Amino acid sequence: MITTSSFKTTKSEEIFAAAQKLMPGGVSSPVRAFKSVGGQPIVFDRVKGAYVWDVDGNQYIDYVGTWGPAICGHAHPEVLAALHDALEKGTSFGAPSALENVLASMVIEAVPSIEMVRFVNSGTEACMAVIRLMRAFTGRDKIIKFSGCYHGHADMLLVQAGSGVATLGLPDSPGVPKSATANTLTAPYNDLEAVKSLLAANPNEIAGVILEPVVGNSGFIPPDVGFLEGLRVLTHEYGALLVFDEVMTGFRIAYGGAQEKFGVTPDLTTLGKVIGGGLPVGAYGGRKDIMSLVAPAGPMYQAGTLSGNPLAMTAGIKTLELLQRPGTYEQLDRITKKLSEGLLQIAQEATGGYISAMFGLFFTGETVRNYEDAKKSDLAKFSRFHRGMLERGIYLAPSQFEAGFTSLAHTDEDIDRTLAAAREVLSN
Ligand SMILES: *Cc1c(COP(=O)(O)O)cnc(C)c1O
């Protein structure tokens, strides 16, 4: 591997060294550390369009997109302008605002399963609340999740949870009581028979099944043909709810998310990332009869001081408006196809794919259908690839177990430069 001698990260190293004394691991979220690829994280200074700049002045083409929200490109001028206007009216109301109606209407219009929605501040919060709601509605306590699917860091969902948990090799986390996960059953992704067995073995006890309809948190893993449809049939059969965690896929793999793309409508859906346009927003929604249980309409308690925050609503509304413009998803598909097919041509013994603005590459010759398969990929090779790309100005997620993201700001030239870098790195 050739390292580029001009690549300097002195300031990043200084700032990160100081950060490590101030915050655990020097980061505010573990996935930002470079634990699994080695080396130190790059400290960002600013972001714009498809690019990010670090504190040493290096520029990168970015395929992390702040982990999903930046689908229109970072710091989109129209989002910034809308935020400037909203800022003049104050940063938080703690009371109803018309902005919530606007974003709620847009979400309800877009996402087939959502008839009513509740805004929260993160994907984690949305998933925590939706589990409570599943249990409140069905009067059942058990839930089924899939290994390698991440639904935020709430206790009952921190079981075989992919993403940062996978990266750090923690099957679980200390501090999560056994009682908290006792009602969480897990099945391998893309394994309908396993789900059927769990449902059959726990009659009238399973509140529902939650999943990433396209997995992004064990790397990119699409559902097998018939998997989502099969879950829909099985959950109906056993009186359980079906929940799509579309925190990552919502407004990314199609405007209406995976449920629009695959034509399977769950009972409930969680959202986050893109709907906040880069500000903290999560949401859960679904059938009106179920959502009517949420306080104050119903007895299921869930609240938030900053929920429905006017700045966050504004960024979300503008981002969705940009996504509604004609040709958006065709453009995302075209650019991501070019990147994904290009990478697969260059990388020998790699497998992967893409859907719309989400892609993945595993360093394994075998097809990856679930987290077990994903774990067979060559992590050392991925680390070398990651480092080589970083030194050539390409910023990829620092883990084999994360999906990549493109945006409307990525150009053909950006993709060409990325593929040229990959050719250089992988030929050594
Ligand atoms: C990111 C993510 C979450 C958690 O969202 P946060 O905003 O990080 O709390 C939940 N589910 C999925 C599928 C995610 O990708």
Side-chain angles (χ1 to χ4, degrees):
M1 157 110 23
I2 301 167
T3 56
T4 48
S5 55
S6 59
F7 186 66
K8 293 270 184 315
T9 55
T10 326
K11 281 190 187 159
S12 267
E13 282 157 37
E14 268 170 39
I15 292 169
F16 188 63
Q20 282 179 294
K21 298 195 181 105
L22 301 168
M23 298 171 285
V27 290
S28 297
S29 184
V31 292
R32 296 176 198 171
F34 277 30
K35 283 234 163 179
S36 76
V37 289
Q40 298 210 338
I42 299 303
V43 176
F44 284 14
D45 179 50
R46 66 197 169 89
V47 295
K48 186 78 186 170
Y51 309 119
V52 302
W53 286 263
D54 70 15
V55 287
D56 290 282
N58 299 306
Q59 180 184 339
Y60 307 85
I61 301 172
D62 177 31
Y63 293 104
V64 179
T66 185
W67 301 93
I71 193 165
C72 298
H74 291 289
H76 192 285
E78 291 184 53
V79 176
L80 295 190
L83 279 171
H84 278 293
D85 291 346
L87 196 53
E88 294 296 323
K89 294 183 165 188
T91 55
S92 176
F93 297 166
S97 81
L99 292 166
E100 292 162 84
N101 292 14
V102 177
L103 189 58
S105 306
M106 292 173 100
V107 167
I108 289 165
E109 184 114 319
V111 185
S113 67
I114 300 188
E115 296 173 351
M116 275 184 137
V117 64
R118 164 63 57 88
F119 292 115
V120 293
N121 304 290
S122 68
T124 293
E125 251 190 276
C127 294
M128 275 170 70
V130 93
I131 300 291
R132 187 177 301 149
L133 182 56
M134 286 157 79
R135 290 170 166 168
F137 183 78
T138 59
R140 303 172 176 184
D141 287 344
K142 291 185 180 165
I143 57 165
I144 296 175
K145 80 178 281 293
F146 295 90
S147 46
C149 281
Y150 181 65
H151 306 293
H153 64 80
D155 280 358
M156 69 279 186
L157 289 163
L158 219 46
V159 185
Q160 302 193 25
S163 187
V165 194
T167 303
L168 299 177
L170 306 173
D172 247 323
S173 168
V176 176
K178 281 206 180 70
S179 58
T181 56
N183 288 314
T184 308
L185 313 177
T186 52
Y189 196 78
N190 275 327
D191 189 341
L192 273 182
E193 280 308 310
V195 176
K196 192 175 178 146
S197 303
L198 288 174
L199 286 164
N202 298 273
N204 302 316
E205 289 187 295
I206 310 273
V209 176
I210 185 168
L211 77 155
E212 293 180 62
V214 174
V215 183
N217 286 293
S218 323
F220 170 82
I221 306 176
D224 284 352
V225 173
F227 180 59
L228 300 176
E229 293 83 350
L231 290 176
R232 183 64 284 183
V233 171
L234 278 175
T235 45
H236 271 149
E237 199 177 311
Y238 286 88
L241 298 173
L242 181 62
V243 183
F244 280 7
D245 177 355
E246 300 229 40
V247 170
M248 188 182 286
T249 52
F251 299 97
R252 176 164 287 280
I253 68 169
Y255 188 68
Q259 50 201 281
E260 176 195 312
K261 181 100 193 163
F262 293 99
V264 176
T265 306
D267 301 295
L268 294 164
T269 299
T270 54
L271 294 167
K273 300 192 169 124
V274 171
I275 55 157
L279 274 82
V281 182
Y284 62 102
R287 274 165 44 194
K288 201 175 258 176
D289 60 325
I290 307 177
M291 289 304 290
S292 300
L293 285 184
V294 178
M300 192 214 87
Y301 198 70
Q302 185 273 308
T305 300
L306 291 170
S307 297
N309 174 273
L311 294 179
M313 295 294 107
T314 299
I317 292 164
K318 184 51 79 178
T319 299
L320 297 199
E321 272 176 26
L322 292 169
L323 290 174
Q324 282 174 356
R325 293 182 185 168
T328 300
Y329 288 87
E330 289 80 359
Q331 164 66 7
L332 289 169
D333 187 79
R334 191 183 67 76
I335 215 82
T336 319
K337 179 175 200 263
K338 177 169 172 168
L339 174 69
S340 173
E341 291 182 352
L343 285 174
L344 284 171
Q345 247 175 32
I346 296 162
Q348 305 293 319
E349 293 265 310
T351 174
Y354 78 99
I355 300 178
S356 181
M358 187 172 166
F359 68 93
L361 185 76
F362 291 106
F363 287 105
T364 167
E366 287 160 50
T367 312
V368 175
R369 293 178 57 245
N370 57 40
Y371 181 44
E372 283 305 307
D373 296 341
K375 283 195 286 192
K376 289 180 198 147
S377 55
D378 186 339
L379 299 185
K381 190 165 183 183
F382 175 79
S383 297
R384 289 195 300 276
F385 177 64
H386 182 269
R387 181 71 198 177
M389 293 299 272
L390 190 73
E391 293 185 353
R392 285 162 183 80
I394 313 294
Y395 193 80
L396 302 170
S399 166
Q400 174 77 97
F401 303 111
E402 303 287 354
F405 299 128
T406 47
S407 79
L408 289 170
H410 286 83
T411 62
D412 282 295
E413 200 205 328
D414 293 327
I415 305 300
D416 291 337
R417 274 175 55 200
T418 305
L419 295 176
R423 224 169 272 126
E424 229 178 270
V425 173
L426 290 170
S427 66
N428 287 287

